[in-house]
Amino acid sequence: MREPTAPKPGPVRHVIPFRLEPQAPIITVKVWVDDNGPFDFVVDTGASMTVISPRVAKRLDAPWAPARGPQSRAVAAAGSVEVTTTTVGRLRIGSFLAEDVEVAVMGMKALRAASKRRLDGIIGYNLLKDFRLIIDYPQGYLLLER
């Protein structure tokens, strides 16, 4: 007699609505950080780290000032930059939840100028790396699948 086998788990899928900014080809999503938010974050597949703005870091009371937080290097559009890092307990985008996420704290001035609105952070490689990312522009959603 054959032993029963457990069914294989199905894929993990997160469908996340996004906004395509009318002023620039920037995808933004609503993000909750440590149960605060929603904040508007840019999805940037070329960013090495997830980023929060100093405004969000202050709201979270995260240790981010250069004298308090550790320094790291991150890849940005302008090349490699030195940033202060901190860890947030929980970061949620729709049904996707990540815990103990290392983030860089960096100003959003250039993105704010391009989009003509306040942006609070960037979703980067360290959150996206374990997923297949599908961007459905006509339907306005991201699909994260593992």
Side-chain angles (χ1 to χ4, degrees):
M1 182 185 239
R2 251 172 90 169
E3 298 220 8
T5 58
K8 291 184 181 180
V12 174
R13 303 178 95 177
H14 303 281
V15 177
I16 301 165
F18 72 79
R19 173 185 164 142
L20 186 60
E21 295 301 320
Q23 304 297 325
I26 297 172
I27 293 174
T28 60
V29 293
K30 298 291 184 188
V31 176
W32 284 258
V33 183
D34 289 341
D35 298 323
N36 290 281
F39 300 109
D40 290 320
F41 277 44
V42 172
V43 176
D44 185 349
T45 59
S48 61
M49 291 184 74
T50 295
V51 174
I52 61 173
S53 69
R55 184 181 80 81
V56 171
K58 285 178 191 172
R59 187 159 164 192
L60 302 174
D61 198 27
W64 66 273
R68 294 169 62 195
Q71 299 292 300
S72 184
R73 294 204 69 76
V75 177
S80 181
V81 295
E82 190 164 303
V83 295
T84 299
T85 60
T86 190
T87 300
V88 296
R90 296 183 343 186
L91 193 146
R92 184 171 60 82
I93 314 163
S95 63
F96 173 72
L97 175 67
E99 296 182 321
D100 299 322
V101 179
E102 183 180 21
V103 297
V105 180
M106 193 169 79
M108 301 281 110
K109 192 174 186 178
L111 284 173
R112 190 173 304 128
S115 68
K116 308 227 184 314
R117 62 188 293 248
R118 184 179 70 210
L119 296 169
D120 302 303
I122 299 170
I123 299 300
Y125 172 78
N126 64 327
L127 280 184
L128 301 173
K129 67 181 179 171
D130 294 326
F131 291 89
R132 177 173 50 184
L133 170 63
I134 297 170
I135 303 171
D136 187 330
Y137 285 100
Q139 297 299 315
Y141 71 84
L142 306 174
L143 174 63
L144 292 177
E145 188 174 67
R146 179 171 30 192

